[in-house]
Amino acid sequence: GIQVEQSPPDLILQEGANSTLRCNFSDSVNNLQWFHQNPWGQLINLFYIPSGTKQNGRLSATTVATERYSLLYISSSQTTDSGVYFCAVLIKAAGNKLTFGGGTRVLVKP
Amino acid sequence: DTAVSQTPKYLVTQMGNDKSIKCEQNLGHDTMYWYKQDSKKFLKIMFSYNNKELIINETVPNRFSPKSPDKAHLNLHINSLELGDSAVYFCASSQGDPRTLSGNTIYFGEGSWLTVV
């Protein structure tokens, strides 16, 4: 079946550290988005990035569609970066439904 | 102003009851969704409506019935609630066909925490 896999499943960071989160997908995608779910449960859209690279402050994302992966970079992490990061992809072969990966749980310690 | 708002935020109810969750968006989008997040944080789409028309209908029990009175509203009614229905239900919206998203992003509400006891 169509798969969206994220790694690592859990990540503990010291404040100020940098990290990379990965999203692998099993087929070509029409749409890829990264979300942050904060500790209060809110889901915030970070990037729409089906290909290429985007940056927003301390966050940046790169998608290499031909190799079926996307990376989310967090630089100079802060405690407010804690939460779960999801990638979601729209895959034609999966019936064109936005399918979420299992998430990466990030804890940034002060 | 909240872009996608859901009510209630918290709901505790007994097995067998019928309950509804309401959702409204003020973004002018024509597509709305219901997603379910289980205890392991896994998010899965349940339904999607575009211009009040049901577009995506995942394999969910028919105890779950969505209703879209207009483009700005999508409600979820659940009959005969079961323990396994306990989850967080997220409403979302976007512009355009949900099967392509046409380069558009999807915006989520704050979630409705449903606990069935």
Side-chain angles (χ1 to χ4, degrees):
Chain A
I2 303 301
Q3 292 186 346
V4 183
E5 295 181 342
Q6 293 185 240
S7 60
D10 296 280
L11 191 57
I12 299 176
L13 300 170
Q14 203 63 40
E15 198 169 28
N18 302 327
S19 65
T20 301
L21 283 57
R22 187 177 181 103
C23 173
N24 290 334
F25 38 93
S26 59
D27 208 334
S28 57
V29 299
N30 298 322
N31 185 310
L32 187 148
Q33 301 183 31
W34 282 97
F35 294 86
H36 175 224
Q37 187 169 34
N38 66 23
W40 296 270
Q42 271 188 302
L43 273 162
I44 307 297
N45 189 289
L46 298 175
F47 293 103
Y48 161 71
I49 187 162
S51 63
T53 297
K54 287 187 178 179
Q55 180 153 8
N56 184 2
R58 295 180 297 101
L59 300 181
S60 64
T62 295
T63 297
V64 183
T66 52
E67 297 186 22
R68 299 181 184 171
Y69 72 88
S70 183
L71 303 174
L72 179 70
Y73 305 97
I74 306 174
S75 63
S76 304
S77 58
Q78 299 177 0
T79 55
T80 51
D81 294 331
S82 296
V84 184
Y85 290 81
F86 292 99
C87 74
V89 300
L90 193 71
I91 301 176
K92 187 176 181 181
N96 286 333
K97 298 180 290 290
L98 196 66
T99 302
F100 281 74
T104 293
R105 289 150 186 74
V106 174
L107 175 63
V108 181
K109 292 186 172 181
Chain B
D1 286 344
T2 304
V4 183
S5 58
Q6 306 176 218
T7 55
K9 188 173 177 69
Y10 300 101
L11 183 57
V12 181
T13 188
Q14 290 188 326
M15 276 195 304
N17 284 351
D18 303 338
K19 291 294 177 185
S20 292
I21 307 171
K22 295 186 177 182
C23 180
E24 176 181 6
Q25 54 93 6
N26 62 7
L27 296 167
H29 290 162
D30 57 7
T31 295
M32 296 185 72
Y33 310 78
W34 279 109
Y35 277 82
K36 179 180 180 181
Q37 187 173 42
D38 62 22
S39 57
K40 295 183 178 179
K41 299 286 190 182
F42 185 66
L43 270 160
K44 189 173 180 199
I45 191 168
M46 300 173 69
F47 303 102
S48 174
Y49 274 74
N50 177 254
N51 285 314
K52 301 195 299 174
E53 180 186 354
L54 181 63
I55 301 296
I56 295 172
N57 184 355
E58 283 298 274
T59 307
V60 299
N62 56 16
R63 299 181 294 104
F64 291 78
S65 53
K67 283 188 172 55
S68 182
D70 55 58
K71 288 195 306 183
H73 295 84
L74 180 62
N75 304 322
L76 183 65
H77 187 75
I78 315 171
N79 290 326
S80 303
L81 278 155
E82 301 177 356
L83 293 176
D85 297 331
S86 296
V88 184
Y89 292 85
F90 284 94
C91 178
S93 74
S94 67
Q95 184 61 27
D97 191 329
R99 292 163 294 194
T100 62
L101 283 178
S102 301
N104 293 305
T105 55
I106 184 169
Y107 296 87
F108 283 85
E110 294 188 343
S112 294
W113 271 252
L114 172 65
T115 302
V116 182
V117 297

